[in-house]
């Protein structure tokens, strides 16, 4: 079992480590909440500033993509939501979650050799380390995105639900060393601020390029279960709306907008960088 973890993510634990200019400068801390995304959404509806962060030590109803639950035991991991008010058309909003995947992967690579699985799961050695749930709400000047990020930091193998043991992992399981959670939080916020500012000022190009490098997927043959059937092809890149571009055996191009991706021959491993 996991040894007792004594660090906490209270404002007084995190503030001295923050290097960001604007992200996380409004910081809401909860011992326990249903979902940090729900808490952040409520704050955003009440007008909370861009860059407001909600962190919880535990979630009772943590939410994942596709209506799944996100297992959120107390004091082990990171459950983080960020309020963003991006100047990006709603049809291109998936650029924000891809940007978050890039930033989260960069933070994780300071600890272990992480890669991105399309669209934005973070894996190590083929197992999931982190997930991102971006939710768009409101309209016009009241429109906002809540970017929810869950990272398995200090869960031990025995802490993972049995059905997730061959699919999920944590940084501690991968490296054998506990993660200093306040330090990890400060690092992920720093990467997020840099990449979000880049997206707003330079557009999606540099993010798509970093995504290509961090996903190690470009040039790989993948199989995708689409609602209309199975498709396989070689990954050639990302479109501006976040769709994955494939070259099919026929030579035609095909766009994947949703689905579960399997890399033929297994997910590529990368070296620590
Ligand atoms: C996924 O399915 O991969 C996305 C998981 C996102 C989980 C995080 S934990 C913090 C935030 N609050 C939630 O309820 N979900 C996100």
């Amino acid at each position: 079992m996991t040894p007792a973890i004594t660090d906490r993510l209270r404002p007084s634990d995190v503030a001295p480590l923050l290097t960001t200019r604007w992200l996380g400068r409004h910081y809401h801390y909860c011992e326990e909440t249903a979902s940090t995304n729900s808490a952040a959404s409520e704050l955003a509806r009440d007008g909370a500033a861009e860059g407001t962060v909600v962190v919880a030590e535990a979630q009772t109803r943590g939410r994942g993509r596709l209506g799944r639950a996100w297992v959120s035991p107390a004091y082990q991991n990171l459950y983080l939501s960020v309020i963003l008010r991006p100047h990006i058309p709603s049809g291109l909003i998936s650029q924000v979650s891809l940007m978050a995947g890039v930033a989260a992967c960069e933070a994780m690579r300071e600890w272990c050799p992480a890669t991105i699985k399309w669209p934005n799961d973070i894996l190590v050695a083929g197992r999931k380390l982190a997930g991102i749930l971006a939710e768009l709400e409101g309209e016009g000047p009241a429109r906002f995105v809540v970017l929810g990020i869950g990272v398995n930091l200090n869960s031990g193998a025995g802490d993972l639900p049995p059905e997730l043991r061959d699919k999920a992992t944590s940084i501690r399981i991968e490296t054998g060393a506990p993660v200093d959670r306040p330090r990890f939080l400060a690092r992920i916020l720093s990467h997020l601020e840099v990449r979000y500012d880049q997206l707003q000022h330079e557009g999606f190009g540099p993010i798509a390029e970093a995504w290509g490098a961090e996903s190690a997927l470009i040039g790989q043959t993948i199989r995708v279960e689409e609602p209309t059937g199975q498709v396989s092809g070689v990954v050639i890149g990302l479109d501006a709306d976040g769709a994955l571009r494939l070259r099919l055996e026929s030579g035609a191009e095909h766009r994947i907008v949703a689905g579960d991706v399997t890399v033929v021959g297994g997910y590529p491993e990368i070296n620590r960088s």
Side-chain angles (χ1 to χ4, degrees):
M1 283 297 284
T2 316
I5 293 160
T6 51
D7 63 7
R8 293 290 181 268
L9 297 167
R10 293 165 300 213
S12 56
D13 303 308
V14 175
L17 303 173
L18 273 189
T19 55
T20 50
R21 280 182 303 111
W22 57 270
L23 183 55
R25 296 292 165 182
H26 297 277
Y27 186 90
H28 293 255
Y29 172 77
C30 323
E31 273 287 335
E32 183 180 283
T33 189
S35 154
T36 54
N37 264 35
S38 306
S41 155
E42 216 173 295
L43 287 166
R45 271 182 256 127
D46 288 345
E50 173 158 79
T52 299
V53 158
V54 180
V55 166
E57 299 286 10
Q59 297 182 119
T60 53
R61 295 178 61 194
R63 291 188 274 118
R65 289 195 308 124
L66 310 171
R68 296 178 186 135
W70 188 258
V71 178
S72 310
Y75 305 121
Q76 295 182 0
N77 301 317
L78 178 64
Y79 318 115
L80 159 72
S81 297
V82 173
I83 296 171
L84 297 174
R85 300 184 183 275
H87 308 296
I88 290 174
S90 295
L92 298 180
I93 215 74
S94 59
Q95 293 181 352
V96 175
S97 50
L98 289 157
M99 173 285 298
V102 166
C105 188
E106 285 169 340
M108 277 166 240
R109 283 187 182 191
E110 296 182 15
W111 275 262
C112 60
T115 55
I116 307 177
K117 179 183 176 191
W118 184 84
N120 51 19
D121 286 350
I122 311 295
L123 307 186
V124 176
R127 293 193 167 136
K128 184 156 165 173
L129 191 60
I132 293 170
L133 176 67
E135 296 178 307
L136 177 67
E137 271 189 57
E139 275 175 25
R143 194 188 64 151
F144 62 88
V145 173
V146 172
L147 194 58
I149 306 179
V151 189
N152 295 334
L153 295 177
N154 285 324
S155 283
D159 300 316
L160 299 173
E163 67 280 9
L164 292 184
R165 279 181 203 159
D166 60 343
K167 295 194 191 110
T169 190
S170 72
I171 294 183
R172 183 175 155 255
I173 293 170
E174 295 303 318
T175 63
V179 178
D180 177 332
R181 292 185 310 142
R183 193 165 88 78
F184 184 90
L185 175 56
R187 294 306 301 143
I188 197 170
L189 291 178
S190 163
H191 284 284
L192 268 174
E193 181 176 279
V194 169
R195 287 297 186 182
Y196 181 70
D197 282 346
Q198 183 179 49
L199 177 63
Q200 295 267 78
H201 297 120
E202 296 171 44
F204 190 53
I207 304 293
E209 197 176 309
W211 188 93
E214 289 172 30
S215 76
L217 261 196
I218 311 287
Q220 300 284 323
T221 302
I222 64 161
R223 209 173 37 238
V224 189
E225 294 297 337
E226 288 197 299
T228 50
Q230 202 180 74
V231 178
S232 68
V234 176
V235 178
I236 49 180
L238 273 183
D239 264 349
D241 62 355
L244 197 58
R245 288 171 48 221
L246 297 190
R247 174 84 58 211
L248 305 182
E249 221 179 312
S250 64
E253 257 197 47
H254 183 78
R255 281 164 41 87
I256 306 288
V257 293
D260 263 335
V261 168
T262 308
V263 177
V264 176
Y267 246 83
E269 295 287 313
I270 57 145
N271 295 321
R272 189 183 289 271
S273 59

